Amino acid sequence: MTGLTTHVLDTASGKPAEGLSIDLYRLNGETREKLKTVVTNSDGRVDGGPILIGETFLAGEYELVFHAGAYLRARGVALDEPAFLDVIPIRFGISDTTAHYHVPLLLSPYGYSTYRGS
């Protein structure tokens, strides 16, 4: 498979992060072009396959913006105001358009981690 995918797990609850909104941007220097907004399903993934695929899957720099604070508040998690983690931007590069880029997020109210998955 080629393209860009993500998967969000709520490590505080031990479950997939359902209903988390994610914005995808293409970066060109300091300019950000918003490509789309997606929302995670009951498995913490995005319905409909890769977020970017085919002719939209271009080499370059990108940013996924995970709206963690809104997700956590909607689940009834009491957060400080302002929240320690509200919006989580992850910038990454795509150099090989024949490859699969998977950018998972492991999330809790006070920490997160990511990596290039498979």
Side-chain angles (χ1 to χ4, degrees), residues 52-63:
L52 283 179
I53 194 165
E55 59 190 46
T56 64
F57 186 59
L58 304 172
E61 294 182 4
Y62 293 85
E63 182 177 62

Side-chain angles (χ1 to χ4, degrees), residues 18-31:
E18 179 179 7
L20 191 142
S21 180
I22 306 165
D23 297 324
L24 172 64
Y25 294 88
R26 181 174 288 124
L27 305 175
N28 185 8
E30 293 303 311
T31 303

Side-chain angles (χ1 to χ4, degrees), residues 4-8 22 40 44-46 51 64 66 102-105:
L4 172 65
T5 58
T6 190
H7 186 200
V8 185
I22 306 165
T40 57
R45 299 177 190 275
V46 175
I51 301 169
L64 285 169
F66 297 85
H102 184 64
V103 182
L105 181 71

Side-chain angles (χ1 to χ4, degrees), residues 5 7 9 90 101-106 113-118:
T5 58
H7 186 200
L9 297 174
I90 299 176
Y101 286 77
H102 184 64
V103 182
L105 181 71
L106 305 176
S113 65
T114 190
Y115 53 93
R116 181 174 174 189
S118 58

Side-chain angles (χ1 to χ4, degrees), residues 16-97:
E18 179 179 7
L20 191 142
S21 180
I22 306 165
D23 297 324
L24 172 64
Y25 294 88
R26 181 174 288 124
L27 305 175
N28 185 8
E30 293 303 311
T31 303
R32 290 180 359 161
E33 174 191 1
K34 187 174 183 180
L35 301 179
K36 63 173 64 176
T37 298
V38 296
V39 178
T40 57
N41 62 22
S42 63
D43 192 36
R45 299 177 190 275
V46 175
D47 288 331
I51 301 169
L52 283 179
I53 194 165
E55 59 190 46
T56 64
F57 186 59
L58 304 172
E61 294 182 4
Y62 293 85
E63 182 177 62
L64 285 169
V65 178
F66 297 85
H67 295 273
Y71 159 79
L72 292 165
R73 286 182 192 94
R75 290 322 144 289
V77 176
L79 300 177
D80 294 334
E81 292 299 335
F84 181 69
L85 294 174
D86 192 15
V87 177
I88 301 171
I90 299 176
R91 290 189 172 191
F92 58 95
I94 293 174
S95 59
D96 180 0
T97 59

